[in-house]
Every structure is written in C-alpha cells, then in structure tokens.
C-alpha cells in the first residue's frame, strides 16, 4: 500500500454511510470506520464495504489486557480489515499480543497501527488531564519506538510529528495522520493540524480526513482536492 487519503466515515449508521459513499462513482476511497459506525452497523458492514471495493481502516483504538487484545485481534484479522488501531499506551506487552493475535496461519496480518497521542490533545491537556509532564513530541516518539519494538506496522500521529517518527523508526514504519485541515480557522476539536500539502512534505504515509470531506458541499470534489494535494 502506498500513500493514500483515508476518509473518516464518522456517520451514525450504515444508511448515512452508504448514502455518502454512493456519491463516489469512479473512486473507491480507503475508508476509516470508527466506533460510532462499527457499533451501529456491525461486522457485516465491513464485508459489504469490501465487496464494494473499499480498503478498510477499522479504528476501534483497542486498549485492554494483553490476553483480551490477542483474542480480539485474532477476530479482527478475519474481518476483512486492511488496518486496525490499538493504543500504544496499553504497553509493549499489549502491542505484542495484538501482533500475535492478528497474524493468521499463513503468516499474514492486517496493518496494526498504534495510537500515540490523540491529535485532539495538546501539551496543556496532556499535563492537566493525564498527568504526563514530558514534552508532547517526546511522548509521541516514545510510543512510536515502543510500537516499532513490538513489531507494529506504524503509528497514528499528527503530521507535525511524521518526519521525526520516520527519522527515529525508519521510512518503512507507517505514519497515519489525522488532524488534516484546508482551512485553519475551522479546526473543530483538533489541535495539532496540517494541510494535505504540508502533510505530504512532512512525509506522512496516509492522511485521515473526516469532516473537511464528509461535511463539504461537494465531498467528491474535496476528496479529489485532497488526493491531488497529498498523492499528486
Ligand atoms: O473530522 P476529522 O478530520 O477531525 O476526523 C479525524 C478522524 O481521525 C476522526 O475519526 C478521529 O476519530 C480520528 N483520529 C484522530 N486522532 C487520532 C486518531 C484518530 O483524530 N489520534
């Protein structure tokens, strides 16, 4: 898989998600299915998306004891997903368990990606709410290194950190970067943001774009604009 734009399909149900995806006639965008849509539409929806030709990033941000994560990752590895996410803060033991569980009998596995620090948090909220007093980029690099040692395929981080992650963990270690905006006045709850072109220059492998596409007047045109700016 190469550089791509992943659309965050943050819809409350399958009908709204399919109405949105039906707008795309020629393109088959890589889609991110988060908790809201997965919990409402269920695993059969993943099969349907695959049948329609989409690649799937299942973003459930798993976090639990290693045994539970191993078992859950095993289930996900047979659920048509190309990529899924777990929290790096769940420890190295938890990430290693995820890789063990995700690896099928033929040795293949979906891409397993670790969440470092949510792009909706910043230095201040990290210090006041989760009592982490290290600089945010040090925290992200620590989680990325831990994920690499646990043999994960990459991390979710802000595009602001992508370059450094590649420097520390190597070019093949994937950076999946949400917090993408064209209009910096419209950040919403995101704090660490970049444009698609800036993310490209920073070396992001995948950008995750939600509201700027899903709430655009013309989502297909906005998606194409993102692809042009990011993939070229
Ligand atoms: O609408 P917006 O472009 O902000 O959507 C970003 C998507 O990426 C959301 O689905 C959000 O859950 C997800 N995400 C994120 N930050 C992370 C991990 C995932 O914003 N660290």
């Amino acid at each position: 898989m190469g550089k791509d734009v992943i659309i965050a399909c943050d819809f409350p149900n399958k009908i709204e998600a399919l109405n949105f995806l039906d707008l795309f006639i020629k393109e088959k965008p890589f889609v991110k299915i988060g908790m809201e849509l997965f919990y409402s539409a269920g695993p059969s929806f993943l099969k349907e998306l695959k049948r329609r030709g989409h690649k799937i990033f299942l973003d459930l941000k798993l976090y639990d004891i290693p045994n539970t994560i191993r078992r859950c990752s095993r289930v996900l590895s047979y659920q048509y997903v190309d990529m899924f996410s777990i929290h790096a803060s769940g420890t190295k033991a938890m990430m290693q368990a995820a890789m063990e569980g995700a690896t099928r009998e033929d040795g293949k596995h979906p891409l397993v990606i670790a969440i470092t620090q949510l792009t909706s948090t910043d230095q201040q909220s990290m210090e006041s709410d989760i009592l982490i007093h290290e600089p945010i980029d040090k925290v992200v690099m620590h989680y990325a290194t831990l994920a690499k040692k646990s043999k994960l395929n990459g991390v979710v981080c802000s595009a602001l950190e992508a370059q450094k992650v590649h420097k520390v963990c190597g070019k093949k270690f994937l950076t999946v970067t949400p917090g993408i905006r064209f209009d910096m006045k419209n950040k919403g709850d995101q704090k660490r943001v970049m444009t698609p072109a800036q993310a490209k220059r920073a070396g992001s492998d995948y950008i995750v774009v939600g509201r700027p596409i899903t709430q655009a007047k013309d989502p297909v045109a906005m998606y194409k604009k993102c692809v042009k700016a990011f993939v070229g």
Side-chain angles (χ1 to χ4, degrees):
M1 288 202 252
K3 294 214 174 232
D4 211 347
V5 174
I6 303 179
I7 303 182
C9 288
D10 292 325
F11 294 103
N13 55 52
K14 179 178 155 168
I15 294 171
E16 285 192 34
L18 289 179
N19 281 344
F20 170 76
L21 291 173
D22 281 345
L23 299 173
F24 294 82
I25 313 274
K26 278 198 233 141
E27 304 80 8
K28 291 289 171 206
F30 199 141
V31 293
K32 182 176 89 71
I33 306 302
M35 295 179 230
E36 182 188 16
L37 186 53
F38 182 74
Y39 294 147
S40 99
S44 63
F45 184 55
L46 302 176
K47 195 173 178 181
E48 194 169 338
L49 288 172
K50 261 283 133 171
R51 199 175 36 77
R52 292 166 70 113
H54 296 282
K55 281 188 186 145
I56 303 170
F57 171 17
L58 186 63
D59 186 24
L60 299 182
K61 301 184 173 66
L62 307 181
Y63 186 98
D64 211 316
I65 59 170
N67 184 53
T68 304
I69 293 296
R70 184 182 299 104
R71 296 169 70 99
C72 174
S73 300
R74 171 127 320 135
V75 173
L76 293 185
S77 74
Y78 289 98
Q79 290 287 339
Y80 312 95
V81 303
D82 299 279
M83 184 188 282
F84 72 86
S85 61
I86 64 176
H87 272 285
S89 57
T91 75
K92 202 168 147 197
M94 191 198 86
M95 288 192 275
Q96 285 169 340
M99 282 317 291
E100 278 166 34
T103 306
R104 296 182 287 256
E105 276 151 21
D106 61 4
K108 294 189 178 146
H109 57 81
L111 297 172
V112 185
I113 305 290
I115 306 288
T116 53
Q117 196 60 46
L118 294 173
T119 41
S120 56
T121 55
D122 59 9
Q123 189 69 37
Q124 196 197 334
S125 53
M126 214 179 60
E127 289 186 14
S128 63
D129 296 3
I130 38 184
L131 296 183
I132 297 176
H133 298 286
E134 300 287 351
I136 202 159
D137 71 322
K138 190 174 169 195
V139 175
V140 172
M141 288 321 137
H142 173 69
Y143 285 146
T145 309
L146 219 54
K148 172 103 200 274
K149 282 187 187 153
S150 313
K151 306 262 188 296
L152 262 67
N153 300 101
V155 285
V156 176
C157 61
S158 149
L160 295 162
E161 294 129 12
Q163 213 160 19
K164 204 161 171 195
V165 168
H166 280 136
K167 210 168 152 194
V168 174
C169 300
K171 280 217 168 95
K172 284 193 184 152
F173 191 69
L174 300 172
T175 51
V176 180
T177 64
I180 300 295
R181 294 292 179 266
F182 275 107
D183 173 11
M184 292 304 162
K185 278 185 242 118
N186 228 339
K187 289 203 251 180
D189 52 354
Q190 296 286 15
K191 293 191 172 132
R192 306 189 334 271
V193 298
M194 269 194 176
T195 65
Q198 287 171 332
K200 179 183 182 170
R201 282 196 293 279
S204 293
D205 295 289
Y206 296 92
I207 53 172
V208 176
V209 191
R211 289 161 289 182
I213 293 178
T214 57
Q215 292 179 11
K217 274 201 191 120
D218 184 343
V220 179
M222 189 52 102
Y223 169 71
K224 285 184 180 164
K225 189 175 165 189
C226 284
V227 172
K228 195 162 176 227
F230 183 67
V231 186

